[in-house]
Amino acid sequence: MLGILLGLLLLSFSAGFIGSIFGIGGGVLLVPALTLLLHVPIRVAIGVSLLSVVATSAGASAAFVRDHWTNLRVAMALEVATTSGALVGATLAALASARVLELLFALAMIVSALETYRSRLRTEALPTSDRLAERLRLASSYPSAHGPVPYGVRRVPAGAALMVVAGLASGMLGIGAGVLKVMAMDAAMGLPFKVSSATSNFMIGVTAGAGAIVYIARGDVATTLAAPVALGVAAGALAGSRVLVRANVRLLRIAFVGIMLCIAAQMAWRALHGT
């Protein structure tokens, strides 16, 4: 029993650490880990994962906000869209079979990985914002060794549309949808990658919390799993938040794509072969 508990803590710590660095939430690793390694039913894994994503956000976002990496105005502007999507997605999850959920999970990972690979790494921040972002005062700055670096924001409606999709994915798949949030802010809205990751960490807790309420009401959350997983993920997220600000962004993208494709292959194999 002690060995299982320690293994679960180690697994959740690793998920929180990696999820914090990439701004994707620990759920993107926890769901396949719980289903593939521990054979937990996917709906239960999703419910536990959503609670762990809340812990990831709480563990990581405080440091990012303190160090001025998080764009709070962007987060607040987009949170309505992603939370609405999460409530709808969590409701729809009850109507889908386990295989459908696993295939959707694999598809979400593939799309996220391909979009990240296709998008160019910006070496410079956007110099100005477009008209809507300027009216909403979404432009900000991030810290560097040479002082604050200002950046602009663009295409807010496109980012909001992607956030609705991210919320749907979060509610249905328990992944926090940080992969799609980072993609929306980085590729569509022009935010620097580290700012996107930090802002995603702030947002995923609210999104996951909305979906978790639906799963708790349905009884799809195992408290015996949720408690140690939440502790491990929160600790891992706090450790990961200290690594992100010193990490190489180009290497982060390469690792991000690799992780997503591996997870997609595992989940697709499980869904197609029923194992």
Side-chain angles (χ1 to χ4, degrees), residues 6-97:
L6 291 176
L8 194 59
L9 286 171
L10 179 61
L11 179 70
S12 56
F13 179 90
S14 302
F17 181 82
I18 296 173
S20 172
I21 288 177
F22 294 119
I24 60 179
V28 73
L29 299 176
L30 272 176
V31 172
L34 291 173
T35 56
L36 297 173
L37 300 179
L38 301 182
H39 307 291
V40 175
I42 188 166
R43 284 192 180 83
V44 175
I46 290 172
V48 171
S49 174
L50 285 171
L51 290 179
S52 78
V53 171
V54 177
T56 302
S57 179
S61 62
F64 293 141
V65 172
R66 179 197 62 207
D67 296 335
H68 305 290
W69 283 98
T70 302
N71 189 318
L72 293 175
R73 282 188 172 272
V74 168
M76 293 297 100
L78 299 177
E79 197 65 76
V80 174
T82 187
T83 301
S84 300
L87 290 171
V88 175
T91 303
L92 292 176
L95 306 177
S97 68

Side-chain angles (χ1 to χ4, degrees), residues 88-252:
V88 175
T91 303
L92 292 176
L95 306 177
S97 68
R99 284 194 174 188
V100 169
L101 291 175
E102 289 165 350
L103 284 174
L104 288 174
F105 192 102
L107 179 61
M109 297 302 97
I110 292 173
V111 170
S112 301
L114 291 178
E115 186 61 32
T116 301
Y117 178 78
R118 288 171 51 196
S119 62
R120 291 185 176 182
L121 176 64
R122 282 179 299 277
T123 57
E124 297 181 359
L126 290 175
T128 58
S129 298
D130 62 18
R131 183 176 300 179
L132 179 58
E134 187 175 347
R135 291 186 64 181
L136 294 174
R137 294 187 294 169
L138 300 183
S140 187
S141 63
Y142 63 88
S144 73
H146 306 290
V149 178
Y151 61 87
V153 181
R154 66 185 181 191
R155 300 172 61 190
V156 177
L162 285 172
M163 287 296 169
V164 174
V165 178
L168 284 168
S170 175
M172 289 193 72
L173 306 176
I175 59 176
V179 285
L180 298 176
K181 288 185 174 70
V182 171
M183 182 179 73
M185 289 182 281
D186 177 41
M189 299 178 65
L191 273 68
F193 185 78
K194 289 185 180 181
V195 174
S196 300
S197 179
T199 305
S200 172
N201 269 296
F202 180 84
M203 295 177 65
I204 57 178
V206 180
T207 307
I213 292 173
V214 179
Y215 281 85
I216 292 172
R218 284 204 305 258
D220 285 338
V221 176
T223 55
T224 52
L225 288 175
V229 165
L231 289 174
V233 166
L238 183 60
S241 68
R242 300 180 184 277
V243 173
L244 174 65
V245 296
R246 297 188 297 272
N248 182 285
V249 178
R250 191 174 300 275
L251 293 179
L252 281 181

